Amino acid sequence: MPALEQLPACPVETTLTLISDKWKMLIVRDLLDGTKRFGELRRSVGNVSQKVLTSNLRQMEADGLVSRKVYAEVPPRVEYSLTETGRSLRIVVDAMWRWGEQYKAGLASVRHG
Amino acid sequence: MPALEQLPACPVETTLTLISDKWKMLIVRDLLDGTKRFGELRRSVGNVSQKVLTSNLRQMEADGLVSRKVYAEVPPRVEYSLTETGRSLRIVVDAMWRWGEQYKAGLASVRHG
DNA sequence: CTGCATCCTAGTGGATACTG
DNA sequence: CAGTATCCACTAGGATGCAG
């Protein structure tokens, strides 16, 4: 977890520091559907390299947004899910979802007069 | 304005493409308070270089989020404000604001037991 | 004051190969 | 399958100087 003192004063900036990496919001979006294995997540997120996905997940784990569960199996199985805090990001994802839809609806209506 | 077809299918991704640059959400945050001059905006946003702020503003203008008004004065005066669409980003900024506050409150309570 | 143009740096993110 | 280790490319972003 980051130290409280080193987070920006502005709450908006705090949020940005935690989730503005290229894939983090998409990871949250997908994990809101429930626990996923690494490979599964990688496919659903889109065009992420394995290295970058791992790195983003590690940071999110350190920030208390994601939890990681390793099963002692062969082949290995690792499952990722959102923590309580991670799930609370739903309000942000939802806001983005709604805004994105509105925006595209706006474009479409302009287009068709 | 971007072409509808070239935006991602997922509304969340659409939103991200439009506002995930380093400073854009902060620009929105600050312009929600009302019209601002370039220099004023630069100071309120924080540590942005002039070039980058200009570039972000130009993109946001092209995306229909910001409008730019130039006054024929010496010295020049340029004012930026949010368009209707830009103002509708308030729901996203608000969600981020609330989440950031919660997050910090959580850190504080853990800290103090 | 605002805005270009130029140059330069840093760091994210991608490709690949290899391990447990 | 998941992860680590390199190596590399790219470009967002910063610094500076000049112009209208």
Side-chain angles (χ1 to χ4, degrees):
Chain A
M1 310 274 277
L4 186 52
E5 303 76 31
Q6 75 193 13
L7 287 173
C10 170
V12 177
E13 291 184 56
T14 293
T15 302
L16 289 173
T17 8
L18 292 170
I19 54 87
S20 73
D21 273 317
K22 191 170 175 183
W23 304 102
K24 289 186 179 173
M25 281 312 279
L26 301 180
I27 293 172
V28 173
R29 176 197 65 185
D30 291 343
L31 289 184
L32 278 170
D33 293 337
T35 299
K36 280 195 160 70
R37 300 185 55 164
F38 182 85
E40 201 181 352
L41 186 56
R42 186 171 174 201
R43 266 170 272 122
S44 73
V45 162
N47 211 341
V48 218
S49 72
Q50 185 261 17
K51 175 187 129 183
V52 172
L53 181 56
T54 300
S55 142
N56 279 355
L57 284 168
R58 289 287 188 285
Q59 290 170 39
M60 294 171 81
E61 204 188 346
D63 292 338
L65 304 180
V66 157
S67 74
R68 175 171 178 268
K69 179 158 187 188
V70 184
Y71 293 84
E73 301 178 358
V74 176
R77 180 162 122 235
V78 181
E79 290 187 344
Y80 291 91
S81 55
L82 293 177
T83 61
E84 182 65 29
T85 307
R87 270 191 298 274
S88 70
L89 273 168
R90 180 183 291 272
I91 60 171
V92 178
V93 175
D94 281 353
M96 286 187 175
W97 186 286
R98 276 183 275 120
W99 189 84
E101 283 210 314
Q102 275 181 227
Y103 184 84
K104 288 203 278 190
L107 282 189
S109 69
V110 168
R111 180 70 58 87
H112 301 116
Chain B
M1 310 275 277
L4 187 52
E5 305 76 30
Q6 76 194 12
L7 288 173
C10 170
V12 177
E13 292 184 56
T14 293
T15 303
L16 288 172
T17 13
L18 293 170
I19 54 89
S20 72
D21 273 316
K22 190 171 178 185
W23 305 101
K24 289 187 179 173
M25 281 312 280
L26 301 180
I27 292 172
V28 173
R29 176 197 66 185
D30 291 344
L31 288 184
L32 278 172
D33 293 336
T35 299
K36 280 194 159 69
R37 298 185 58 164
F38 183 85
E40 198 181 354
L41 186 56
R42 188 172 173 198
R43 266 170 272 121
S44 73
V45 161
N47 208 341
V48 219
S49 72
Q50 183 263 10
K51 174 186 132 186
V52 171
L53 180 56
T54 302
S55 142
N56 279 355
L57 285 168
R58 288 288 187 284
Q59 289 170 39
M60 294 172 80
E61 204 187 347
D63 292 337
L65 304 180
V66 158
S67 75
R68 175 172 180 267
K69 180 157 187 187
V70 184
Y71 294 83
E73 302 177 358
V74 176
R77 178 160 125 235
V78 181
E79 291 186 343
Y80 291 92
S81 55
L82 293 176
T83 62
E84 182 67 31
T85 307
R87 260 175 273 134
S88 69
L89 272 167
R90 166 165 263 140
I91 60 171
V92 178
V93 175
D94 281 353
M96 286 187 175
W97 186 286
R98 277 184 272 120
W99 189 86
E101 284 210 313
Q102 277 181 224
Y103 185 84
K104 288 203 278 190
L107 281 190
S109 69
V110 167
R111 180 71 57 87
H112 302 116

